Amino acid sequence: MIVFDTVKALQEHLLQASALGRTIGFAPTMGALHQGHISLIEASRRTAGLTVCSIFVNPAQFNDPNDYARYPITIERDTAMLEAAGTDVLFLPPVSEIYPGGLDDLELYDLGFLETVLEGKYRPGHFQGVCRVMSRLLRTVRPHHLFMGQKDYQQCMVIRRLLQLMDIDDRVRLHISPTLREADGLAMSSRNLRLEPGHRSQAASISAALQYIKDNIASGDSGQLISDASAIILDHGLRLDYLELADANTLTPVTSWDGRQSMVALAAAFLGDVRLIDNMVIS
Ligand code: AMP
């Protein structure tokens, strides 16, 4: 595995690889890697000729400065995991390589409705920050295949939109990998490392609530189902930002199901000061 920390050196290497006809697969991450991240690397290796992973904790996407300051960093372990998974290239840039003009960039991405609901509503500015780092990374890596996780359902929709805004949606294929979970159902997440030992067992209540919705959904009003599922999370001592049903393709809220529409149940909740998100598709 070759490690680069500058845009220029990475671009030179990848241009050469492209010229030799190798397709490029790209999995962007913020590090503190787990098996969910590695599943993206594996998907890329099955699809592309050369697999690039980036690790960059993006200051522009943290609406809470404490969350940024406490984000787990485990570079040595991450590097070993990526190497063992057969990653070809690791991009490990400092902030100045990604934002050479500083963080006060004025470019705004028109994400429309997507930015007003769920994560967009509870984390103002978050998706603008995601688009800023992703547009820089996409211009640098120029991947043919982009690998992201369903765990961040709304983010995948934002990136689909970004590819259109950048006019590269016909050139970059977005592959969405299923969410990998711990044995008790908890979605794997870098933030799980920050859970206090006493909190870890409560965290699985989020996936349990989503599964409860999936198992008990019936056509008609979903109000009672959502409050019963919310109670599962609240009874385990978490604070709920949201637990909602939405259309799987548009994320418009669904309060009454016609029995056919594809939906997704999405949740965000705090356990101590750690914010966890998860979702399950209901089709
Ligand atoms: P992050 O490092 O949290 O920014 O995540 C990097 C990529 O890994 C994103 O595309 C995530 O959706 C994906 N990812 C995170 N957790 C999981 C998981 N449990 N299963 C599959 N993919 C995941």
Side-chain angles (χ1 to χ4, degrees), residues 26-39:
F26 179 40
T29 81
M30 297 207 299
L33 301 183
H34 49 68
Q35 220 31 58
H37 295 113
I38 297 303
S39 73

Side-chain angles (χ1 to χ4, degrees), residues 95-162:
V95 174
S96 57
E97 277 294 309
I98 298 296
Y99 301 118
L103 277 157
D104 302 320
D105 188 333
L106 290 178
E107 177 153 12
L108 274 184
Y109 300 86
D110 178 10
L111 303 175
F113 173 75
L114 265 183
E115 210 178 3
T116 66
V117 290
L118 305 161
E119 290 301 282
K121 179 168 154 195
Y122 284 89
R123 300 186 67 190
H126 168 65
F127 286 130
Q128 289 295 324
V130 168
C131 287
R132 282 183 65 191
V133 73
M134 281 303 295
S135 62
R136 176 77 165 144
L137 290 171
L138 288 167
R139 283 196 185 96
T140 303
V141 177
R142 298 177 62 85
H144 303 87
H145 301 277
L146 177 62
F147 296 87
M148 306 196 82
Q150 189 205 310
K151 157 85 175 16
D152 297 279
Y153 194 93
Q154 192 172 4
Q155 174 171 273
C156 290
M157 294 180 68
V158 164
I159 297 304
R160 220 180 260 299
R161 171 91 186 120
L162 177 68

Side-chain angles (χ1 to χ4, degrees), residues 65-220:
N66 284 329
D67 190 22
Y68 177 59
R70 294 194 209 119
Y71 201 83
I73 294 184
T74 58
I75 290 294
E76 269 174 39
R77 187 170 169 273
D78 293 353
T79 309
M81 282 173 80
L82 290 173
E83 180 106 55
T87 311
D88 298 294
V89 171
L90 168 60
F91 184 40
L92 211 53
V95 174
S96 57
E97 277 294 309
I98 298 296
Y99 301 118
L103 277 157
D104 302 320
D105 188 333
L106 290 178
E107 177 153 12
L108 274 184
Y109 300 86
D110 178 10
L111 303 175
F113 173 75
L114 265 183
E115 210 178 3
T116 66
V117 290
L118 305 161
E119 290 301 282
K121 179 168 154 195
Y122 284 89
R123 300 186 67 190
H126 168 65
F127 286 130
Q128 289 295 324
V130 168
C131 287
R132 282 183 65 191
V133 73
M134 281 303 295
S135 62
R136 176 77 165 144
L137 290 171
L138 288 167
R139 283 196 185 96
T140 303
V141 177
R142 298 177 62 85
H144 303 87
H145 301 277
L146 177 62
F147 296 87
M148 306 196 82
Q150 189 205 310
K151 157 85 175 16
D152 297 279
Y153 194 93
Q154 192 172 4
Q155 174 171 273
C156 290
M157 294 180 68
V158 164
I159 297 304
R160 220 180 260 299
R161 171 91 186 120
L162 177 68
L163 295 176
Q164 289 168 353
L165 291 171
M166 292 174 70
D167 206 15
I168 53 171
D169 50 322
D170 55 347
R171 184 156 68 65
V172 184
R173 179 147 171 238
L174 176 61
H175 302 255
I176 300 175
S177 292
T179 305
L180 259 67
R181 299 179 178 282
E182 305 290 353
D184 64 356
L186 174 65
M188 290 183 185
S189 164
S190 307
R191 287 190 169 84
N192 295 349
L193 289 176
R194 288 197 45 233
L195 289 171
E196 286 172 30
H199 283 162
R200 171 59 190 82
S201 59
Q202 274 92 291
S205 62
I206 300 176
S207 57
L210 295 169
Q211 190 64 49
Y212 179 85
I213 294 174
K214 212 171 155 154
D215 293 343
N216 292 285
I217 187 81
S219 47

Side-chain angles (χ1 to χ4, degrees), residues 234-259:
L234 297 170
D235 289 351
H236 284 81
L238 286 81
R239 283 177 294 126
L240 200 53
D241 264 357
Y242 60 79
L243 174 60
E244 288 179 31
L245 276 171
D247 182 281
N249 298 308
T250 62
L251 284 189
T252 45
V254 176
T255 50
S256 182
W257 191 42
D258 63 8

